[in-house]
């Protein structure tokens, strides 16, 4: 588990996350958070890899209320490499997953963004235990990239 404090002045108001990862073949009882940008438990953006047969999901929670849940069409399995891109700003959230997870774009046009300074959590579950995924690349942009850029990233 790793955590990094965001640079001063960086907020959760908008951004784009990109991650390359694979499950390491261990299916645990709890879903694993690949990345979480969180001010606190009630204000966070997190990207969860599955446990057992779950789908990969991007969650946005503001004021303790889930604003967006964008899940892949298919579940991640074994040690297959995956690419996922997620972009967010108020009322404009999008996720793109590797084609094996479902090639269709996923968008939400209604979502309030979390507020506050955040900490980046990498590779843990909701209990703070080590994750079951190998993360090979993380990129974050402080703006919401266009959908076409997301399509290119996950290709």
């Amino acid at each position: 588990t790793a955590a990094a404090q965001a640079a001063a002045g960086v907020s959760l108001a908008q951004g784009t996350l990109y991650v390359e990862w694979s499950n390491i073949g261990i299916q645990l009882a709890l879903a694993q958070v690949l990345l979480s940008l969180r001010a606190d438990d009630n204000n966070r953006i997190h990207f969860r890899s599955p446990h057992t047969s779950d789908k990969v999901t991007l969650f946005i929670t503001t004021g303790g209320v889930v604003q967006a849940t964008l899940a892949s069409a298919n579940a991640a399995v074994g040690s297959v490499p995956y690419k996922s891109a997620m972009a967010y700003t108020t009322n404009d959230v999008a996720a793109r997953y590797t084609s094996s997870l479902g090639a269709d774009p996923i968008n939400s046009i209604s979502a309030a963004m979390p507020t506050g300074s955040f900490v980046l959590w990498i590779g843990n579950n909701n209990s703070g235990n080590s994750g079951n995924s190998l993360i090979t690349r993380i990129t974050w942009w402080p703006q919401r990239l266009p959908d076409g850029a997301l399509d290119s990233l996950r290709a």
Side-chain angles (χ1 to χ4, degrees):
T1 302
Q5 184 69 40
V10 176
S11 75
L12 294 174
Q14 65 175 341
T16 301
L17 288 168
Y18 171 73
V19 61
E20 294 177 7
W21 59 280
S22 62
N23 283 340
I24 58 174
I26 301 169
Q27 298 299 324
L28 303 175
L30 296 172
Q32 306 299 302
V33 176
L34 286 173
L35 297 173
S36 182
L37 303 171
R38 57 189 293 141
D40 55 43
D41 282 343
N42 293 316
N43 293 283
R44 62 187 174 167
I45 296 170
H46 72 266
F47 172 55
R48 185 188 80 179
S49 70
H51 64 94
T52 60
S53 62
D54 280 355
K55 298 173 181 175
V56 181
T57 309
L58 169 69
F59 293 96
I60 296 177
T61 304
T62 303
V65 178
V66 175
Q67 300 290 315
T69 303
L70 304 173
S72 62
N74 303 314
V77 295
S79 57
V80 176
Y82 298 104
K83 295 178 182 179
S84 302
M86 294 115 337
Y88 54 90
T89 191
T90 300
N91 296 328
D92 186 9
V93 181
R96 303 293 187 271
Y97 299 109
T98 303
S99 61
S100 63
L101 293 174
D104 294 336
I106 305 167
N107 289 54
S108 173
I109 57 171
S110 177
M113 292 297 106
T115 59
S117 297
F118 65 89
V119 173
L120 171 64
W121 288 84
I122 302 170
N124 73 337
N125 68 22
N126 294 329
S127 300
N129 298 318
S130 297
N132 68 339
S133 299
L134 172 64
I135 300 169
T136 55
R137 181 177 178 184
I138 299 169
T139 307
W140 179 76
W141 291 266
Q143 68 274 358
R144 196 243 191 254
L145 295 181
D147 290 348
L150 299 180
D151 293 332
S152 295
L153 284 169
R154 65 93 185 248

